[in-house]
Amino acid sequence: MRYLLPVLFLLMLWETPKAQITAELDSIEVTASRISTSISESGKNVSVITQADIQKMPVQSVDDLLRSLPGVNINARAGFGVQADVGVRGSTFSQVLFLLDNTPLNDPLTAHFNTNIPVALSEIAQIELIRGPASTSFGADAVGGVVHIKTKAYLMKEINAGQKISVRTNADVSAGQNDLKIIDASAGVAKKNFRFSTSFRTAQSDGEQFKNPGFREGVSNMENFNSYFDVTNLSAAASLNFANNWNIYVRSGIEDRDFNARYFYTRSIYDESTEQIESKWAISTLSYDNGNHRSEINASYRDVKDVFDFNPAIAPANVHETGLLYLNGSHQYRLTNEQLNSLSSSLKYMRFMVGGQVLNKQIESTDRGDHENTSWGIYGIHTMNYDFGLSVTSSLRLQFNPISDLSFLPQISASYDLGTVNLRTSVGRAIREGDFTERYISHQIPSLTPGRNIGNPDLLPEESTTLDFGMDWTPTRKLRLSPTIFYRSSSNLIDYALTNSTNIDNADNLQENEEYFYASNISESDVYGVEIISALNSNLGSNSNLETDIGYTYIKTTSDQNTVSRYIANHPSHQVSMNLSLNTGDLSLQTQSQFNVRSKESAALINAEVPDQYFLSNLQIGYTPFGQNFQIYTQILNLTDTQYQEILGAPMPGRWILGGVKYSL
């Protein structure tokens, strides 16, 4: 950190384009609540990854894109988007809500699947990270934050394309070490009020080879194993503006994942896991907008089949089939200028929204059984903006859960624009419901052996209250600094506690007077943290430009338990991120780097270790010989060849070199 301030000072000396730094705060519309506002008016610490960012960053998955953002903790089990847990501001991976085109992605089986994003990178137009609670607007699981992925077709669905047919295409084809092959492509066509788009992505590799601890211990005949993966998704979307003020938008798709899952979930020397995941999904939006009134209905369904084979020599594979049905309806009303003037001469706009949401989850599982539950809620949101710079958004949700009583979830956020300084603050409550794994794991296994996890059908929702305060300071057009402090208090946190079977009365497959890890509401915790984000965009000459983003996050978690659970506090205590983008003529260079300090873990039997600190850096060098629409590039992922794990037992990729071409029109 001692080198950070000199670097910032030197970069501030360069001349910077006028609009770039402030454009994101002032002009990009985000849904920090369900009512769209600019970032500066939202009262929240929001980061946005745009389509242009995605095109130039040296990454191959959404979770690696999120690594570039301060306050985000990624615990991946493999590279290239195979599987990763995402925490925000020290939250658990289950306490972050993922949305795709305004509908939830969180899997009812386990939050380990939340980053299984079923669209191609080239089809993504914008990723919004909303730090802090948002359960009032979006429902359960939005505790640490919300990751909202918006596709190109969704953002453009209500825009009239004109009389002529317009076509867009994007393609990214690459290959690299370990027989890596990636194809990522999307295309769209539009005329007048109709749009259609489709996208396709496949990423496959033999993976890296690792020594098999089971062979050394004599429980396996395989000396080595490979971290292979094969991930493919296909989607299509269409939208139509009709009857003047009406729009309908639909998107559907399929995805197949086949990968090595050894040590993803266990530390057993017998673990030889493989996993296959098949999903089918569809989302739709029907909206009416006449300026002052906007009504919207969102619906989605997702069907996922997961086949997890721990070790075929020991037991048959577990098969889980889950379904997620979502329905949301809302109406927004904006006051006219005449109405505003009668209330206050300083009011610029005022909006009201009321809505209701239903979420139905189903599972058929060989070891968890067959279950179904439904939660629903009603909410109201109110936002005001004054011409002297004050913006206030207040909201309230009544949430009805299948197990607990009514949850009362208020939230308020505010910002005050003072010119070069924008002050912001928010406070709100949020909840997280237990998933099917936490409720029912191992319930269908006869005479369960001691020491295994056992689910608890009677889990209450986790509850939390979060307060933050921050500001966005633009002392010059060369620099923006955004410091934020936050605090979250949580209760009823779900964790697995060693419990004697005589004290477990909702599972009938346990051996008498034996110990099991029982899912329980056992913990309370407090999280304190600081986020510091800086953004610079500097001219180095007539044809050269340097963009720099530097972030620092400090998080401390305390608990009422003697030892803070690693499930609850599996995050770095210190995290530094730096993204550099240098463009000069036809050449470009981008780096994404991160340094983490966290608690060390080890398991000698399987040669596993999560280091107490590690540095990661990705590099991309690009050349555009025929203009910006065609690029030849080379990526070096994990440039320093850091040997590390983020989930104990699952080795992350070492240095990986690939090359490819990108085309857009």
Side-chain angles (χ1 to χ4, degrees):
M1 290 298 295
R2 62 182 177 179
Y3 301 111
L4 183 58
L5 289 178
V7 170
L8 289 174
F9 177 76
L10 289 173
L11 290 172
M12 287 173 62
L13 298 179
W14 284 315
E15 184 180 356
T16 306
K18 293 184 177 181
Q20 186 67 31
I21 290 299
T22 57
E24 182 176 289
L25 286 178
D26 294 338
S27 62
I28 295 180
E29 290 283 309
V30 297
T31 46
S33 69
R34 286 191 176 274
I35 297 178
S36 295
T37 63
S38 67
I39 297 176
S40 62
E41 295 172 351
S42 69
K44 307 294 288 287
N45 190 6
V46 179
S47 293
V48 175
I49 299 174
T50 66
Q51 176 189 354
D53 297 327
I54 296 171
Q55 287 291 314
K56 67 186 179 183
M57 292 177 71
V59 299
Q60 290 291 342
S61 63
V62 169
D63 52 277
D64 276 341
L65 283 167
L66 295 174
R67 282 185 189 273
S68 67
L69 303 179
V72 177
N73 171 46
I74 304 295
N75 286 321
R77 291 171 175 79
F80 299 91
V82 171
Q83 192 177 106
D85 297 340
V86 177
V88 177
R89 288 183 168 177
S91 74
T92 67
F93 63 94
S94 300
Q95 294 176 331
V96 177
L97 179 63
F98 277 76
L99 299 173
L100 175 66
D101 291 347
N102 215 25
T103 60
L105 278 177
N106 289 32
D107 194 280
L109 175 66
T110 172
H112 294 313
F113 296 169
N114 288 354
T115 54
N116 293 3
I117 311 302
V119 294
L121 281 179
S122 59
E123 178 64 6
I124 297 174
Q126 187 166 298
I127 301 176
E128 301 170 6
L129 171 65
I130 305 159
R131 298 175 179 86
S135 282
T136 301
S137 296
F138 299 106
D141 302 340
V143 177
V146 173
V147 177
H148 193 170
I149 300 165
K150 296 179 178 179
T151 63
K152 297 175 181 177
Y154 178 76
L155 280 187
M156 297 188 293
K157 67 184 188 300
E158 297 179 37
I159 299 175
N160 191 308
Q163 296 294 325
K164 294 183 178 180
I165 294 179
S166 61
V167 178
R168 62 170 175 84
T169 57
N170 295 88
D172 184 349
V173 180
S174 58
Q177 291 176 281
N178 306 306
D179 200 25
L180 174 69
K181 296 183 287 289
I182 300 176
I183 301 174
D184 190 300
S186 64
V189 61
K191 183 178 181 181
K192 298 169 60 173
N193 297 327
F194 176 75
R195 293 179 179 273
F196 174 81
S197 69
T198 185
S199 71
F200 170 80
R201 179 177 174 85
T202 181
Q204 53 186 272
S205 170
D206 295 338
E208 295 175 291
Q209 190 174 88
F210 298 95
K211 293 289 185 181
N212 182 11
F215 180 81
R216 182 195 62 214
E217 298 296 323
V219 299
S220 173
N221 59 7
M222 294 189 303
E223 185 175 357
N224 304 297
F225 70 92
N226 279 65
S227 57
Y228 74 89
F229 59 87
D230 187 346
V231 180
T232 300
N233 63 59
L234 173 67
S235 72
S239 65
L240 176 66
N241 295 326
F242 62 98
N244 295 325
N245 301 316
W246 290 87
N247 175 269
I248 185 169
Y249 167 77
V250 294
R251 176 179 286 278
S252 64
I254 56 175
E255 182 177 62
D256 290 319
R257 292 173 173 260
D258 183 359
F259 53 91
N260 165 76
R262 191 180 300 243
Y263 308 127
F264 275 27
Y265 316 112
T266 82
R267 311 292 172 262
S268 170
I269 197 67
Y270 297 97
D271 191 342
E272 296 184 1
S273 300
T274 61
E275 193 162 8
Q276 296 87 41
I277 304 173
E278 300 175 359
S279 63
K280 301 184 292 290
W281 55 279
I283 61 180
S284 63
T285 299
L286 176 65
S287 59
Y288 169 82
D289 192 339
N290 71 354
N292 292 325
H293 291 270
R294 179 178 176 83
S295 298
E296 186 166 298
I297 298 175
N298 310 103
S300 68
Y301 182 75
R302 191 177 186 189
D303 179 88
V304 178
K305 180 179 180 180
D306 172 59
V307 180
F308 177 72
D309 195 349
F310 173 76
N311 187 326
I314 295 177
N318 284 330
V319 181
H320 319 289
E321 294 189 53
T322 58
L324 181 68
L325 177 63
Y326 169 80
L327 181 65
N328 179 83
S330 64
H331 181 76
Q332 176 180 312
Y333 175 60
R334 175 170 180 154
L335 270 66
T336 64
N337 291 332
E338 293 77 9
Q339 291 170 315
L340 289 173
N341 291 334
S342 65
L343 292 173
S344 171
S345 59
S346 60
L347 265 174
K348 291 174 62 178
Y349 69 77
M350 182 185 295
R351 299 173 187 166
F352 300 88
M353 177 180 285
V354 293
Q357 175 181 308
V358 178
L359 196 64
N360 176 265
K361 304 175 183 179
Q362 315 99 37
I363 185 172
E364 296 179 5
S365 169
T366 53
D367 81 327
R368 290 157 175 78
D370 301 347
H371 307 280
E372 180 177 0
N373 64 53
T374 301
S375 61
W376 60 282
I378 55 175
Y379 57 88
I381 305 171
H382 174 225
T383 182
M384 296 184 296
N385 182 276
Y386 294 88
D387 58 14
F388 55 85
L390 177 66
S391 298
V392 180
T393 299
S394 54
S395 51
L396 174 65
R397 172 182 284 257
L398 302 180
Q399 182 74 15
F400 299 85
N401 307 297
I403 300 298
S404 69
D405 296 329
L406 172 70
S407 294
F408 180 77
L409 304 175
Q411 182 168 316
I412 186 169
S413 58
S415 67
Y416 190 44
D417 189 350
L418 298 173
T420 59
V421 174
N422 183 65
L423 303 176
R424 47 181 165 75
T425 185
S426 68
V427 60
R429 286 182 54 78
I431 62 170
R432 201 274 291 187
E433 299 173 358
D435 57 41
F436 282 133
T437 294
E438 292 165 324
R439 293 184 184 278
Y440 302 110
I441 187 171
S442 303
H443 270 244
Q444 298 300 309
I445 300 176
S447 188
L448 187 68
T449 55
R452 298 282 297 275
N453 288 353
I454 183 71
N456 181 356
D458 302 319
L459 289 172
L460 298 174
E462 298 178 340
E463 300 179 349
S464 70
T465 300
T466 302
L467 170 68
D468 67 21
F469 178 80
M471 68 175 183
D472 303 300
W473 179 38
T474 52
T476 73
R477 295 187 181 276
K478 302 183 176 93
L479 173 68
R480 182 176 77 240
L481 293 174
S482 298
T484 306
I485 58 175
F486 58 88
Y487 165 74
R488 182 173 66 251
S489 175
S490 302
S491 60
N492 287 338
L493 292 177
I494 299 169
D495 203 354
Y496 292 90
L498 196 61
T499 307
N500 193 277
S501 58
T502 59
N503 297 318
I504 302 174
D505 58 7
N506 53 10
D508 57 9
N509 62 333
L510 308 181
Q511 299 180 21
E512 186 176 353
N513 199 31
E514 295 288 355
E515 302 290 319
Y516 296 88
F517 286 96
Y518 182 49
S520 308
N521 297 104
I522 60 173
S523 296
E524 297 181 2
S525 76
D526 295 300
V527 178
Y528 308 82
V530 177
E531 299 160 346
I532 302 174
I533 305 172
S534 66
L536 304 101
N537 188 339
S538 306
N539 277 342
L540 306 181
S542 59
N543 201 28
S544 299
N545 170 261
L546 176 66
E547 299 177 16
T548 310
D549 295 296
I550 303 174
Y552 169 73
T553 305
Y554 168 75
I555 299 174
K556 180 179 181 180
T557 298
T558 61
S559 173
D560 59 340
Q561 305 296 305
N562 291 331
T563 302
V564 180
S565 164
R566 298 198 185 282
Y567 173 78
I568 295 171
N570 190 16
H571 58 76
S573 55
H574 300 273
Q575 186 180 73
V576 180
S577 61
M578 175 179 286
N579 306 302
L580 299 175
S581 178
L582 174 64
N583 296 278
T584 175
D586 296 333
L587 291 174
S588 63
L589 182 147
Q590 288 81 29
T591 65
Q592 180 197 57
S593 304
Q594 189 179 84
F595 179 71
N596 294 295
V597 177
R598 60 188 303 167
S599 298
K600 184 176 181 178
E601 297 180 79
S602 62
L605 186 62
I606 59 172
N607 294 331
E609 180 179 83
V610 174
D612 58 358
Q613 54 184 271
Y614 53 93
F615 174 80
L616 303 172
S617 185
N618 296 337
L619 169 69
Q620 176 173 296
I621 301 173
Y623 177 53
T624 54
F626 311 116
Q628 296 301 313
N629 291 336
F630 182 85
Q631 183 187 58
I632 303 170
Y633 69 90
T634 296
Q635 287 185 359
I636 306 177
L637 308 179
N638 192 356
L639 180 66
T640 55
D641 198 25
T642 300
Q643 305 300 303
Y644 71 107
Q645 297 173 9
E646 295 180 321
I647 296 293
L648 187 63
M652 291 294 290
R655 183 186 297 115
W656 209 314
I657 301 174
L658 63 143
V661 294
K662 295 180 181 181
Y663 171 79
S664 62
L665 178 64

